Amino acid sequence: MPKQVELTLLIGDQSAERVDVAVVPYVMDGADAVLASGMVRSMGDFEFPERLVAEAIAPERFAGKRGDRLVLRQEPGSTTVIAVGIGSNDASWADWATTIATVVRDNAKRVVRIAIPGSATAVEASAVGVLLGSYSFSKRRDEAQESGDVGLIMLDDSHALSVAEEALVRGRAIADAVSQARDLVNEPPSTMTPTILAAALAAQLEGARGVEVEIWDKAKIEHERLGGLLGVSRGSSQDPRLLIATYRPEAATDETPHVVLVGKGVTFDSGGLSLKTAAGMTTMKTDMTGAAVVVSALGALDALGVRVKVTAIAPMTENMVNGSATKPGDVLVARNGLRMEVLNTDAEGRLILADALCLAEEMAPSTIVDIATLTGAASVALGREIGAVLARPRSLATQLIEAGAQSAEALWELPLWEDYESHIDSEIADMKNIGSAGEAGTISAALFLGRFVRETNWAHLDIAGPGRSEKSAGLVTKGGTAFGLLTLLRYLRTLS
Ligand code: BES
Ligand code: MN
Ligand code: ZN
């Protein structure tokens, strides 16, 4: 796979090389902005101003606020120097990552040097910003393209250097996981079938320290009575798969907390017999984002020093139409024996997640988090930039919202409103797979899933909105975003 961008840590003054753009970070200090590059004070003959006084630069109104830009020098034949605002004085991981991603995207294919302080947070986040800001789908990367060259310039201090090098390794692991997940999501659906996706995910994890992978084929899925997954896959000529991957930290004992992540892996969602519209189908290769996210995340855990045990479960299938397809009115029996009346074959995600959640609960973990492009209603409620989180207990939702805020992914809580349980009551089975038309579709879908998690702390992330983006901005790129991966990594690190 060709490198999308060259990223290096550079120590001290780099005035000897050719540099197109020097990026100098500033943070807010009252109305003014102060230099945030740590000990890097100049590049070549250009001394970075210590303080940009608001009054003196009023026309541009540069205050060091996140997203602020000010050209400090632009002359033919010399390096262009740009001041960028990172944010408030205690600039966070999310501030650094999004700002650097934007600057790098705006200066793609150029030789860019960024002066950054030596803190672990700034280095790790900047590395993620550089790598995700220059992400493009690998199929496009293959066409011999000129790629950018970005260096992070740090101070000349050996202690800070080792801290920075470790932070860079973590940043690369995070960005690799997200890039790998995005590559899988962006692949056309006929070349990312359940079989291919399972193999690609397993290949991604090959050699990952502490990780074991198991793939269930159709016979095994039948043997294990995953009636929801089988029912959805029946209308397709492609067989389903289920992948289980487990990460065991080095010092794991029986007391080590265990988190199970479950991700929806519908490699193409036509809606089945309850067929989607032509327009509604155009982006439905994205419907396996949850699976890509949970499994790709596992590959980064060792590099991040995560000390909890983590299992990823990904049920994978197409949702298609043929003579054997599940029909509206059919009843499917989930692994735990609960009977699910299928009144709309396009509400397929919950049917396959039901089985996966049964498997998760059987492992008696401390916490289960599932992630799914589950309901169009979630993007009606929260738009295309915010994911929905519903959890029992609610404190788990709060933890995930906080983890999201720290990693530049916005989540907002919706209630698991008990009175709405009646919306999914069925006349002939234990539940039906649609709620009341036009009412709280994200909540009734979550309540459906909740019936398969009786004992365990559980959160559900509905990323139907932010799973895809129509534009590139900050860490997000147009197309599949792998939304939620950064949040899950942050959450798991916080538990360690
Ligand atoms: N995969 C879709 C949800 C979706 C829609 C994701 C748009 C991303 C963008 C899901 O399987 C689905 O079709 N849900 C239905 C449920 C309904 C039939 C109860 C929906 O949201 O319309
Ligand atoms: Mn659907
Ligand atoms: Zn779907």
Side-chain angles (χ1 to χ4, degrees):
M1 190 163 65
K3 282 229 183 66
Q4 47 190 328
V5 67
E6 195 72 46
L7 168 64
T8 31
L9 266 189
L10 302 162
I11 309 303
D13 190 14
Q14 302 292 317
S15 47
E17 51 168 11
R18 185 202 119 218
V19 175
D20 298 326
V21 182
V23 175
V24 190
Y26 285 84
V27 290
M28 294 158 81
D29 183 32
D32 300 345
V34 289
L35 185 61
S37 62
M39 289 171 69
V40 191
R41 296 302 159 119
S42 62
M43 250 201 57
D45 58 348
F46 191 89
E47 295 245 349
F48 306 149
E50 186 57 40
R51 172 174 286 272
L52 296 172
V53 180
E55 268 176 56
I57 51 169
E60 283 91 353
R61 293 213 303 275
F62 184 94
K65 202 163 79 265
R66 185 155 113 182
D68 279 0
R69 291 280 182 99
L70 179 67
V71 176
L72 296 178
R73 181 178 76 183
Q74 190 159 38
E75 291 160 14
S78 62
T79 303
T80 298
V81 183
I82 313 171
V84 299
I86 305 294
S88 61
N89 216 331
D90 53 347
S92 67
W93 192 101
D95 291 332
W96 280 101
T98 51
T99 310
I100 300 304
T102 304
V103 169
V104 166
R105 179 175 297 112
D106 292 349
N107 293 282
K109 296 175 195 170
R110 310 188 72 187
V111 179
V112 178
R113 297 291 174 260
I114 309 170
I116 58 166
S119 78
T121 299
V123 176
E124 182 189 301
S126 299
V128 172
V130 169
L131 295 169
L132 293 187
S134 55
Y135 170 84
S136 68
F137 178 41
S138 65
K139 276 286 156 58
R140 266 185 282 152
R141 275 198 313 269
D142 288 343
E143 303 155 9
Q145 255 187 17
E146 217 189 312
S147 59
D149 164 354
V150 181
L152 302 175
I153 311 178
M154 302 243 328
L155 70 175
D156 191 1
D157 170 307
S158 56
H159 169 68
L161 178 59
S162 65
V163 168
E165 277 170 343
E166 288 169 13
L168 187 70
V169 169
R170 292 195 301 273
R172 280 192 200 281
I174 295 167
D176 279 353
V178 174
S179 302
Q180 286 173 333
R182 285 181 186 172
D183 277 353
L184 298 173
V185 176
N186 289 329
E187 186 71 23
S190 291
T191 43
M192 196 45 66
T193 61
T195 310
I196 300 171
L197 176 58
L201 289 169
Q204 240 175 248
L205 292 178
E206 210 174 272
R209 257 220 316 219
V211 176
E212 274 169 42
V213 184
E214 197 181 323
I215 295 174
W216 292 4
D217 63 8
K218 188 180 174 196
K220 174 73 170 167
I221 290 166
E222 280 168 347
H223 180 75
E224 297 290 344
R225 306 178 321 279
L226 306 189
L229 181 56
L230 286 166
V232 173
S233 79
R234 223 158 60 198
S236 169
S237 56
Q238 296 292 330
D239 280 355
R241 288 286 184 273
L242 184 120
L243 185 145
I244 304 181
T246 304
Y247 163 80
R248 276 190 147 269
E250 234 163 80
T253 66
D254 288 348
E255 315 311 315
T256 306
H258 181 198
V259 178
V260 180
L261 306 175
V262 174
K264 173 179 174 182
V266 173
T267 60
F268 184 72
D269 182 8
S270 74
L273 278 165
S274 313
L275 197 65
K276 285 185 184 296
T277 60
M281 239 182 263
T282 54
T283 56
M284 281 303 131
K285 66 176 184 180
T286 312
D287 219 18
M288 37 58 77
T289 298
V293 163
V294 297
V295 181
S296 298
L298 230 66
L301 300 184
D302 179 62
L304 295 176
V306 167
R307 281 199 285 270
V308 295
K309 198 177 145 191
V310 184
T311 301
I313 304 180
M316 289 166 280
T317 179
E318 287 187 336
N319 187 24
M320 296 290 285
V321 203
N322 64 21
S324 316
T326 292
K327 306 167 186 76
D330 278 346
V331 172
L332 302 175
V333 185
R335 176 173 168 83
N336 65 357
L338 286 178
R339 294 161 52 81
M340 311 180 286
E341 186 185 10
V342 181
L343 290 180
N344 188 319
T345 61
D346 197 13
E348 84 297 342
R350 65 198 76 184
L351 301 172
I352 71 169
L353 291 170
D355 289 326
L357 289 168
C358 293
L359 291 170
E361 180 130 271
E362 286 167 27
M363 294 173 181
S366 350
T367 306
I368 299 172
V369 182
D370 79 73
I371 177 162
T373 46
L374 202 65
T375 64
S379 59
V380 172
L382 297 172
R384 300 294 304 272
E385 290 178 19
I386 307 172
V389 53
L390 304 92
R392 256 186 338 232
R394 290 186 59 193
S395 58
L396 179 56
T398 308
Q399 278 180 286
L400 286 160
I401 289 167
E402 178 59 27
Q406 288 174 9
S407 39
E409 291 183 329
L411 292 171
W412 209 260
E413 190 185 6
L414 292 178
L416 285 165
W417 197 253
E418 279 179 32
D419 280 359
Y420 294 173
E421 287 283 357
S422 60
H423 292 201
I424 54 170
D425 285 344
S426 161
E427 308 263 298
I428 64 159
D430 294 301
M431 65 199 84
K432 58 182 166 122
N433 78 334
I434 49 170
S436 306
E439 292 180 40
T442 303
I443 296 173
S444 53
L447 290 172
F448 183 103
L449 300 179
R451 294 198 184 185
F452 296 87
V453 189
R454 292 321 321 174
E455 316 267 304
T456 314
N457 289 352
W458 160 69
H460 162 61
L461 303 178
D462 192 332
I463 57 161
R468 275 195 91 72
S469 177
E470 292 312 314
K471 57 177 198 288
S472 294
L475 295 175
V476 170
T477 41
K478 193 169 190 302
T481 59
F483 185 95
L485 205 161
L486 294 171
T487 299
L488 291 175
L489 289 179
R490 174 59 61 188
Y491 168 71
L492 294 169
R493 292 169 82 179
T494 310
L495 295 180
S496 299

